[in-house]
Amino acid sequence: MKPLKVAIFAGEVSGDHLAGALMAAMNRARGIRWRGVGGDTMLGEGLAPVFAMEAIEVNGFDAIVKRLPHLLARIREAADAVIADPPDVLVIVDAPEFTHRVARRVRRALPHLPIVDFVSPTVWAWRPGRARAMRAYVDLVLALFPFEPAVHAKLGGPACVYVGHPLFEAMQRPAPPSGEALLVLPGSRRGEIERLMPVFGQAAAAAAGEREIQVLAVPHRRAQIEALAADWPVAPRIVSGPNAKAETFGAARAALAASGTVTLELAAARVPMVVAYRLDGIGRLIKALHPVLPIVKAPSMVLTNIVIGRNEIPAFLDDEGTPEALAAALRPLLADEAARMAQQATFDAFHGAMAVDGSPGENAARAILDFLAARSG
């Protein structure tokens, strides 16, 4: 069997890890010749790079504007590399601002080339029209959440297959942790940390009682978190490093978390939680316009709630999340077994919905190979 030629493009570190797991599984199944853009994980699986992934990594809107001519040139370079040496399939991995633009250019030049998108854009949360638009240049979506195939079908998007979520796979536990600390997770972005740390500090101090308060800090934000925690009524223990997540999750009785993918990890690890978020100026403008111009479509800002279809995890958006409201929601999760068991029942439903046979990388590889076999007849 001659090697399969696969072009694969990722635009950020998380996509590199996803793509690396996919590549490893496909390499075990058959011979592959890889070409595209990725990071160290993908390079380790045999990727021949068109250019280094660092060439397209940017942080923040201002950086995108400043580097726009450079980024557009890299998009053209990536697409031209595929067009010049057509593969058997093009796989784009997350980072839609980069990868979807590459896919659109390739589809115009090679209309019959199969294109697979690994990670659905959040069409279920905002800009749902993107799903139908994707049909013009994507043939198959590999989804990380079990509700996404139905969403794409409803919105007129491409064929979509649920393959599992690597963060759920990595963090899932059959039973809740046995720790006693109150865990605080203020996020990973500078702005959200600045907005959440003061209110989280007051809420944690009011709810914790004699319990230890631990703060999980991403390493590159530790100094900022330490500076903001200095003003808390009760001094927390700040934890960061390669094993920090496993350590703090295992020591937690309950968590106060910023909205984001960490709430998925908490649910996978069965840590009872309260979730909050404080909007920036643009977010508040969108919220104010929502009654007349609904932009955000998500039924909840907590991924666990979306997966199970019920708003069971307490969530507080913006000014709703006062220290008093957060503390009142946290206290039962620290002391009331009935409240704790109610969240464990929620986690049971979540685990049931997220479960897959095999790993996400293996399932994604199988889906691509089956898709290509079906197309070839």
Side-chain angles (χ1 to χ4, degrees):
M1 188 182 297
K2 71 175 184 178
L4 193 69
K5 291 172 60 179
V6 181
I8 186 165
F9 292 88
E12 53 198 14
V13 173
S14 60
D16 173 61
H17 294 324
L18 280 170
L22 164 65
M23 292 170 68
M26 289 186 70
N27 284 336
R28 290 192 293 270
R30 60 168 298 175
I32 310 282
R33 285 173 51 196
W34 300 98
R35 190 162 188 235
V37 172
D40 291 342
T41 309
M42 295 169 68
L43 294 171
E45 294 296 336
L47 180 72
V50 174
F51 52 78
M53 192 172 73
E54 289 79 4
I56 54 171
E57 287 184 314
V58 293
N59 292 306
F61 181 75
D62 289 347
I64 291 174
V65 172
K66 290 177 182 177
R67 299 191 64 198
L68 187 58
H70 169 83
L71 295 172
L72 293 175
R74 296 290 75 76
I75 289 167
R76 290 193 296 270
E77 183 180 358
D80 289 347
V82 177
I83 296 164
D85 183 16
D88 296 300
V89 62
L90 167 62
V91 180
I92 57 174
V93 186
D94 211 359
E97 295 81 5
F98 166 62
T99 61
H100 284 230
R101 284 175 169 81
V102 172
R104 286 196 291 266
R105 292 180 70 91
V106 170
R107 178 51 56 91
R108 287 195 293 269
L110 302 172
H112 302 296
L113 177 69
I115 300 178
V116 177
D117 181 13
F118 190 8
V119 183
S120 170
T122 54
V123 295
W124 39 270
W126 69 297
R127 291 174 57 202
R130 291 178 293 169
R132 184 175 293 276
M134 285 170 61
R135 289 190 63 170
Y137 59 91
V138 170
D139 301 297
L140 177 66
V141 177
L142 306 179
L144 301 188
F145 292 104
F147 59 83
E148 290 178 316
V151 169
H152 275 279
K154 180 180 178 180
L155 295 176
C160 182
V161 177
Y162 173 53
V163 298
H165 200 299
L167 291 180
F168 175 79
E169 179 193 30
M171 299 301 295
Q172 64 176 309
R173 287 180 179 167
S178 57
E180 291 295 327
L182 172 57
L183 174 59
V184 178
L185 303 105
S188 59
R189 298 180 179 89
R190 178 177 294 278
E192 67 184 0
I193 291 170
E194 184 175 330
R195 293 189 296 274
L196 286 171
M197 279 289 287
V199 67
F200 275 14
Q202 294 177 55
E210 298 301 315
R211 299 179 191 276
E212 180 183 40
I213 301 172
Q214 296 188 3
V215 178
L216 179 60
V218 293
H220 64 287
R221 298 293 182 212
R222 178 165 184 141
Q224 180 193 12
I225 288 171
E226 287 178 338
L228 291 168
D231 294 328
W232 280 19
V234 177
R237 176 174 173 243
I238 298 174
V239 185
S240 63
N243 301 315
K245 191 168 289 182
E247 177 186 342
T248 55
F249 279 35
R253 185 164 178 83
L256 174 58
S259 174
T261 54
V262 74
T263 63
L264 180 150
E265 295 176 285
L266 288 167
R270 295 181 175 274
V271 180
M273 72 184 100
V274 172
V275 179
Y277 201 76
R278 286 279 172 117
L279 299 169
D280 59 12
I282 294 176
R284 290 192 170 192
L285 176 61
I286 293 172
K287 181 183 177 185
L289 291 173
H290 189 267
V292 293
L293 184 64
I295 299 170
V296 178
K297 302 291 185 179
S300 173
M301 64 179 182
V302 183
L303 287 168
T304 305
N305 290 340
I306 298 174
V307 168
I308 67 171
R310 305 189 304 273
N311 288 330
E312 301 287 351
I313 305 297
F316 299 85
L317 179 61
D318 213 36
D319 293 338
E320 299 170 353
T322 64
E324 295 77 17
L326 297 179
L330 280 168
R331 289 189 191 102
L333 299 180
L334 292 168
D336 184 343
E337 284 304 315
R340 294 176 58 77
M341 290 303 296
Q343 282 218 8
Q344 293 304 321
T346 296
F347 298 150
D348 288 343
F350 175 75
H351 278 240
M354 293 291 293
V356 293
D357 293 328
S359 71
E362 292 165 345
N363 294 337
R366 189 180 309 113
I368 291 174
L369 294 174
D370 288 349
F371 165 70
L372 294 176
R375 280 181 66 105
S376 66

